């Protein structure tokens, strides 16, 4: 019986949240200073995105990989997303991004794949021979979201 009591999870409301009742909204500023905010939302969305080249061909070498980094940075800047970390290998790309709440991770991924494929295939002729049909990336994608919930 003592071990069951020790392993119990307690859900409790933090005492630190001040609540005002006279027309002022609820104020949850105590532990949310590192979150981004807009007019009506506070968010901390960090998806890890991964996509690979068609047939896992090692096409992202040298200038192509460097140009791909520039394209991904430009698209993220247009959508107000911030790249926290990232890596471009010879056959895959995986940025770790801090997204605004109005940008879906799937939309960000679609835009990056579509625009980068179009630009890279136009600028580098050897990619057209390796990836016929104007498809540089596979259709599949991987998105993982990281976060935590605490009672502080």
């Amino acid at each position: 019986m003592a071990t069951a009591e020790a392993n119990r999870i307690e859900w409790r409301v933090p005492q630190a949240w001040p609540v005002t009742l006279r027309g002022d909204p609820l104020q949850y500023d105590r532990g949310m200073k590192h979150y981004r905010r807009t007019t009506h939302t506070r968010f901390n969305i960090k998806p890890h995105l991964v996509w690979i080249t068609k047939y896992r061909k090692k096409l992202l070498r040298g200038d192509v990989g460097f140009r791909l980094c520039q394209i991904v940075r430009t698209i993220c800047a247009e959508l107000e997303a911030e790249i926290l970390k990232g890596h471009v290998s010879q056959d895959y790309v995986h940025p770790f991004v801090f997204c605004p709440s109005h940008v879906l991770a799937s939309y960000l991924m679609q835009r990056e794949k579509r625009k980068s494929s179009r630009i890279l295939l136009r600028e580098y002729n050897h990619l057209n021979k390796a990836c016929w049909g104007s498809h540089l990336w596979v259709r599949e994608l991987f998105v993982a979201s990281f976060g935590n919930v605490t009672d502080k």
Side-chain angles (χ1 to χ4, degrees):
M1 193 70 154
T3 57
E5 289 293 323
N7 293 333
R8 190 178 61 183
I9 298 172
E10 293 184 23
W11 295 91
R12 58 179 180 250
V13 177
Q15 299 292 329
W17 291 355
V19 178
T20 56
L21 299 175
R22 302 208 174 171
D24 293 335
L26 296 175
Q27 298 174 4
Y28 297 108
D29 290 335
R30 187 114 179 148
M32 297 189 158
K33 295 198 186 292
H34 64 279
Y35 288 85
R36 277 197 195 171
R37 64 187 293 176
T38 60
T39 308
H40 299 287
T41 58
R42 291 190 188 223
F43 56 91
N44 189 14
I45 303 169
K46 296 177 184 175
H48 180 201
L49 312 171
V50 179
W51 66 94
I52 61 174
T53 58
K54 195 82 165 181
Y55 308 112
R56 292 294 290 230
K57 292 188 177 184
K58 302 192 182 320
L59 302 172
L60 307 177
R61 298 180 182 151
D63 292 342
V64 179
F66 183 72
R67 180 68 177 125
L68 178 62
C69 286
Q70 292 176 337
I71 294 167
V72 170
R73 284 186 189 125
T74 304
I75 295 167
C76 286
E78 289 172 3
L79 296 175
E80 299 173 1
E82 176 185 347
I83 299 175
L84 300 174
K85 290 182 181 179
H87 181 72
V88 175
S89 184
Q90 294 178 3
D91 59 347
Y92 65 90
V93 183
H94 66 92
F96 184 55
V97 184
F98 191 70
C99 283
S101 61
H102 63 275
V103 176
L104 297 174
S106 61
Y107 175 73
L108 176 65
M109 183 82 110
Q110 288 172 1
R111 186 137 176 213
E112 286 179 351
K113 286 172 66 174
R114 181 176 56 234
K115 204 166 188 181
S116 64
S117 176
R118 200 172 339 128
I119 292 171
L120 290 175
L121 289 172
R122 185 180 61 219
E123 291 180 1
Y124 298 98
N125 291 331
H126 70 279
L127 295 179
N128 284 322
K129 294 176 184 174
C131 297
W132 55 90
S134 299
H135 298 290
L136 181 61
W137 310 113
V138 297
R139 292 175 57 184
E140 292 83 13
L141 53 98
F142 173 80
V143 179
S145 179
F146 297 98
N148 60 356
V149 177
T150 61
D151 62 346
K152 292 182 181 179

